C-alpha cells in the first residue's frame, strides 16, 4: 500500500488521520514540462461529455509502470458534436481507442458516424465511481502545463462529508471532468478482465483488494 497508494497508507498504515485534509490526490500530481515523444509506455485516451455548464473534456496520456504522463487534451463548454469530432481528430484521437462517458450513447454514436470508430463507451456499475478513483490514486501524475485543467481539478478534489461532518470514502461528484475523462481512459488497464470485457462487480472488488487499495 505504501508503494501503490502512499496517501491512503499514511492514514491506514501510519495512523496519521487528517493529514490529507480530505484531498483525494494529495501528493500524487505535479505540473511538469516534458516531451511526450521521449516517453515509452501505453497511450490512453478518455472523453467526458458536457455542454452548457459542464465542459467537454478530452485527455491523452501515457501510462508507464506507476507513473502517468498527461500530455494533451481540451476542455470546452458549448461544444457541438461536429466541432467535437474535428477537435478529437485534430488532436490525433482517431488513431487510438477512446473510452467515453457511457451516459451519452447518442453522442458516441454520432462521433462514430463522423469517422471516430475507436470511440467506445466506458463501463459503469455498482460502486464503479469510487473504485475508479481508488485505482487512480495508485499512480503518480505528471501533468503537462497544456493540460493544466487536470491539475486544477486534482488540487480541489476532496471527499464528501457525512451529516456529522466526517469524511467518507466517496469523492465529491462535481468539478471533475478532466479527472473523469482520465479515469475512463484507464479502463483498458484497470477494469478490463483477461477476456477483454468490462469487469463484473465481484471482479472489480477483488481487483481493488488484490493491489491493497482497500
Amino acid at each position: 500500500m505504501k508503494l501503490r497508494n502512499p496517501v491512503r497508507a499514511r492514514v491506514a498504515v501510519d495512523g496519521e488521520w487528517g493529514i490529507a485534509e480530505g484531498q483525494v490526490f494529495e501528493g500524487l500530481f505535479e505540473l511538469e514540462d516534458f516531451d511526450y515523444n521521449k516517453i515509452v509506455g501505453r497511450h490512453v485516451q478518455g472523453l467526458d461529455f458536457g455542454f452548457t455548464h459542464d465542459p467537454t473534456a478530452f485527455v491523452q496520456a501515457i501510462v508507464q509502470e506507476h507513473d502517468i504522463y498527461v500530455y494533451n487534451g481540451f476542455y470546452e463548454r458549448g461544444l457541438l458534436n461536429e466541432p467535437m469530432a474535428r477537435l478529437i481528430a485534430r488532436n490525433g484521437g482517431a488513431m487510438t481507442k477512446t473510452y467515453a462517458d457511457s451516459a451519452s450513447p447518442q453522442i458516441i454514436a454520432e462521433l462514430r458516424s463522423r469517422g471516430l470508430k475507436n470511440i467506445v463507451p466506458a463501463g459503469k456499475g455498482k460502486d464503479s465511481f469510487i473504485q475508479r478513483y481508488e485505482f487512480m490514486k495508485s499512480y503518480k501524475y505528471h501533468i503537462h502545463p497544456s493540460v493544466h485543467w487536470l491539475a486544477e481539478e486534482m488540487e480541489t478534489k476532496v471527499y464528501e462529508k457525512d451529516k456529522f461532518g466526517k469524511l467518507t470514502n466517496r469523492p465529491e461528484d462535481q468539478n471533475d471532468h478532466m479527472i473523469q475523462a482520465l479515469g475512463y481512459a484507464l479502463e483498458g488497464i484497470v477494469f478490463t478482465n483477461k477476456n477483454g470485457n468490462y469487469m463484473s462487480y465481484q471482479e472489480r472488488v477483488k481487483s481493488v483488494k488484490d493491489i491493497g487499495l482497500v
Side-chain angles (χ1 to χ4, degrees), residues 5-18:
N5 197 340
V7 174
R8 187 178 182 88
R10 284 157 64 187
V11 175
V13 180
D14 299 328
E16 298 182 24
W17 298 102

Side-chain angles (χ1 to χ4, degrees), residues 74-212:
F74 61 77
Y75 188 84
E76 293 196 23
R77 289 180 174 83
L79 198 58
L80 297 173
N81 294 337
E82 180 61 34
M84 186 195 310
R86 290 198 300 268
L87 262 178
I88 294 171
R90 192 183 308 155
N91 282 275
M95 305 302 293
T96 302
K97 180 179 286 187
T98 301
Y99 287 95
D101 183 0
S102 60
S104 303
Q106 180 178 350
I107 298 178
I108 293 175
E110 291 190 11
L111 292 175
R112 289 175 61 86
S113 73
R114 288 170 167 80
L116 299 175
K117 302 297 185 182
N118 288 326
I119 293 184
V120 297
K124 289 187 178 180
K126 181 182 177 182
D127 294 336
S128 61
F129 175 76
I130 296 174
Q131 292 168 338
R132 184 172 281 113
Y133 267 89
E134 288 298 311
F135 269 112
M136 292 182 75
K137 285 162 53 185
S138 65
Y139 292 96
K140 170 74 175 182
Y141 297 90
H142 309 267
I143 304 171
H144 193 275
S146 64
V147 204
H148 61 88
W149 311 284
L150 176 61
E152 292 164 5
E153 288 186 355
M154 286 186 167
E155 182 71 34
T156 58
K157 178 53 58 179
V158 296
Y159 290 102
E160 289 182 354
K161 292 183 178 180
D162 62 22
K163 61 182 180 180
F164 302 107
K166 293 184 178 181
L167 293 171
T168 69
N169 69 337
R170 183 180 181 85
E172 289 186 345
D173 189 9
Q174 59 182 355
N175 300 323
D176 59 356
H177 310 290
M178 288 297 286
I179 295 174
Q180 293 278 30
L182 184 56
Y184 297 146
L186 296 175
E187 178 163 308
I189 297 174
V190 301
F191 278 162
T192 300
N193 62 26
K194 61 182 180 180
N195 297 319
N197 300 316
Y198 183 71
M199 288 181 177
S200 67
Y201 172 69
Q202 291 77 13
E203 287 176 318
R204 284 184 276 117
V205 169
K206 183 178 184 301
S207 184
V208 171
K209 289 181 178 179
D210 284 348
I211 58 176

Side-chain angles (χ1 to χ4, degrees), residues 42-55:
R42 179 171 174 175
H43 288 252
V44 296
Q45 298 181 162
L47 179 64
D48 187 49
F49 300 116
F51 190 69
T52 304
H53 301 294
D54 296 331

Side-chain angles (χ1 to χ4, degrees), residues 33-61:
D33 194 1
F34 57 85
D35 183 354
Y36 78 93
N37 292 301
K38 297 180 179 179
I39 299 172
V40 178
R42 179 171 174 175
H43 288 252
V44 296
Q45 298 181 162
L47 179 64
D48 187 49
F49 300 116
F51 190 69
T52 304
H53 301 294
D54 296 331
T56 294
F58 174 72
V59 67
Q60 295 174 308

